[in-house]
């Protein structure tokens, strides 16, 4: 039986609604209590649907003195001051910004609401002048400093990334508007801004250099997202139901949840967190799906990757970078990694303290296979809705030992790539091979290598182990000989499964697999 009293807050971003409606809530108020005890202006960058809006709403409830909403939570055990402050909550997420007029209209919407309370004397001025005036008037009239909460500060900028003149217009407008928060410091009790992306200091925030950017600071690493312990403490009945529905043990269920939805790390050595949107949705429908990935299509990011001629194999295997190269995004840069990281498609996996370098990689299987599935149509002729069919056929053929059928299908696959894609570099075809074998890895043990000294690809099925070597304008015989000479079979000699080595020729003239030799 489903306990109807246990309600999942899917799509609810208002703290008051969650608490009054008795929805399940992962208690983050200990960190909230710590932050509100200061008057420091904060900035937090996190991917979409990670709980930023709920966090903003939680701050709003606190500064409106809503002590009743926090009963039983961690903050209620702390020494906190439940005073009522004037709160200016700016949400830029609720509009599509096609022109500067749209951004002005959104700012006006907020300003007019506050001016109706605190005075309209500056209503004919520019938005930044009105903002500065209304902050001062609110403080003078109430005798309390003002709280400013900005949700998705960068939404207009993100919508204009492929239109640099429009982007520059938005940047100038927002730079002036947010710059008020520095000059009005004496009137401000608390400032908190969130967004997906942190644009470089020479951009939006150059006048707001007093912000405490907590995006990569260890004490705040889990302020958004769900830790494994929080998952178990808050959702054990849901985990049990999920296990029962899918005929799994509780341990296997947590393991699968971890593989699919955990793995986001927002600073070195930080505890990983689960994506809250996917967690709530898997508990709602008891099916393991790519919930978070499906809510946004990274078309612009893929276009950036292709335009910059970025080697996708490097991205898929993991990228080494220092913090400065991925923590801030510059619109004029052709480096796609900062935006891919800040959007949540890459996360921190390792850190080298000696050289202060980070290893960035996909956080989990939901993002890994979701991203690669999304990429494949850009590099091939596979329709979006037929990817699993193609990959499934490849897997079935190898599982049944039918290597000729597998390579014949691969040959037909390359033959279907349209002419405009055929006129591509060698890297393009290497990338397609790479994607196919990597996507097979979600259904069977498939590895594809880009480093020298190892077989190009290895696929392990319940009955067989395949060792592939591809030769570009070489012969299948040479490929088989390389497998022998380099000892690629040695790691599998003790395995009980049948080992098959396969030499494959790839012709640059036909841009296709031209011949192959399987050998047991």
């Amino acid at each position: 039986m489903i306990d109807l009293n246990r309600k999942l807050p899917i799509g609810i971003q208002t703290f008051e609604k969650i608490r009054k409606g008795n929805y399940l809530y992962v208690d983050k108020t200990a960190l909230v209590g710590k932050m509100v005890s200061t008057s420091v202006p904060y900035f937090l960058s996190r991917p979409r649907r990670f709980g930023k809006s709920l966090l903003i709403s939680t701050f709003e409830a606190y500064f409106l003195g809503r002590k009743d909403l926090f009963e039983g939570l961690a903050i209620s055990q702390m020494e906190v001051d439940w005073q009522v402050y004037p709160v200016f909550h700016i949400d830029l997420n609720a509009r599509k910004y096609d022109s500067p007029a749209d951004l002005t209209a959104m700012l006006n919407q907020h300003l007019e609401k506050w001016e109706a309370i605190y005075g309209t004397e500056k209503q004919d001025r520019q938005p930044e002048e009105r903002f500065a005036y209304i902050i001062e008037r609110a403080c003078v009239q109430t005798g309390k400093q003002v709280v400013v909460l900005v949700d998705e500060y960068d939404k207009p900028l993100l919508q204009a990334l492929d239109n640099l003149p429009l982007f520059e217009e938005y940047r100038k407008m927002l730079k002036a508007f947010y710059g008020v928060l520095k000059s009005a410091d004496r009137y401000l009790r608390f400032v908190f801004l969130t967004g997906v992306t942190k644009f470089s200091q020479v951009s939006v925030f150059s006048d707001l250099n007093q912000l405490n950017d907590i995006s990569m600071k260890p004490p705040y690493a889990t302020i958004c997202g769900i830790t494994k312990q929080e998952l178990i403490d808050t959702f054990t009945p849901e985990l049990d139901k999920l296990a029962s529905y899918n005929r799994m043990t509780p341990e296997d269920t947590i393991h699968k949840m971890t593989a699919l939805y955990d793995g986001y790390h927002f600073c070195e050595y930080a505890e990983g967190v689960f994506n809250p949107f996917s967690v709530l949705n898997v508990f709602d429908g008891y099916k393991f799906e790519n919930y978070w990935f499906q809510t946004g299509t990274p078309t612009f990011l893929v276009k950036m990757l292709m335009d910059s001629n970025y080697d996708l194999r490097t991205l898929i295997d993991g990228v080494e970078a220092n913090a400065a190269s991925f923590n801030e995004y510059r619109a004029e840069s052709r480096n796609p990694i900062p935006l891919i990281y800040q959007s949540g498609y890459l996360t921190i996996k390792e850190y080298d303290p000696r050289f202060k370098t980070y290893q960035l990689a996909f956080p989990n299987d939901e993002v890994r296979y979701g991203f690669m599935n999304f990429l494949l149509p850009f590099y091939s002729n596979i329709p979006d809705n037929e990817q699993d069919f193609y990959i499934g056929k490849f897997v079935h053929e190898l599982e049944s030992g039918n290597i000729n059928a597998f390579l014949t299908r691969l040959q037909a696959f390359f033959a279907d790539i349209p002419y405009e894609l055929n006129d591509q570099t060698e890297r393009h075809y290497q990338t397609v091979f790479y994607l196919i074998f990597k996507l097979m890895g979600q259904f069977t043990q498939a590895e594809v290598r880009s480093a020298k000294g190892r077989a190009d690809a290895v696929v392990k099925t319940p009955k067989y182990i395949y060792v592939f070597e591809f030769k570009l304008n070489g012969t299948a015989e040479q490929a088989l000989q390389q497998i022998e000479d380099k000892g690629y079979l040695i790691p599998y000699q003790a395995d009980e499964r049948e080992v098959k080595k396969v030499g494959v020729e790839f012709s640059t003239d036909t841009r296709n697999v031209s011949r192959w030799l399987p050998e047991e």
Side-chain angles (χ1 to χ4, degrees), residues 28 242 258 316 405 467:
K28 301 289 185 179
L242 181 64
T258 301
I316 291 167
V467 178

Side-chain angles (χ1 to χ4, degrees), residues 43-91:
F43 171 74
L44 176 70
S45 168
R46 286 293 183 268
R48 59 188 168 79
R49 297 187 180 272
F50 246 82
K52 300 188 298 295
S53 296
L54 177 57
L55 181 61
I56 286 274
S57 180
T58 307
F59 283 123
E60 182 175 26
Y62 171 80
F63 284 111
L64 291 176
R66 296 298 307 274
K67 182 178 180 180
D68 57 304
L69 298 179
F70 293 88
E71 289 181 7
L73 299 180
I75 198 173
S76 65
Q77 305 301 315
M78 304 168 69
E79 291 186 14
V80 291
D81 186 8
W82 296 100
Q83 295 187 51
V84 178
Y85 295 86
V87 177
F88 293 174
H89 181 175
I90 304 170
D91 183 1

